[in-house]
Amino acid sequence: MRMTVFRRRMAEEFGEVRSEMLARDHVFAALGGRTADEALEAGLDAKRVWQAVCDAFDVPAERR
């Protein structure tokens, strides 16, 4: 998954402002205690980060 796809899916699911806040501020245990932005900066695959977000916020399977 490309970073642009990740950002687009975040915005579609949570809205522009909230998606930016979640990526910047929410710490995910599944990402080693990092935020989505930190995980991406550390080189984790965007697909893995998206899956962690989906799991944490119970995003329905059809939108994952």
Side-chain angles (χ1 to χ4, degrees), residues 1 6 30-32 34 44-53:
M1 171 184 288
F6 171 78
L31 299 176
R34 293 180 275 207
L44 270 70
D45 181 62
K47 184 175 183 178
R48 179 176 171 199
V49 176
W50 175 242
Q51 289 171 339
V53 171

Side-chain angles (χ1 to χ4, degrees), residues 1 4 6 12 20 44 61 64:
M1 171 184 288
T4 55
F6 171 78
E12 288 171 353
E20 290 175 14
L44 270 70
R64 288 182 179 224

Side-chain angles (χ1 to χ4, degrees), residues 17-36:
V17 174
R18 185 167 182 229
S19 68
E20 290 175 14
M21 288 174 34
L22 286 175
R24 182 185 65 235
D25 299 331
H26 188 86
V27 176
F28 295 88
L31 299 176
R34 293 180 275 207
T35 67

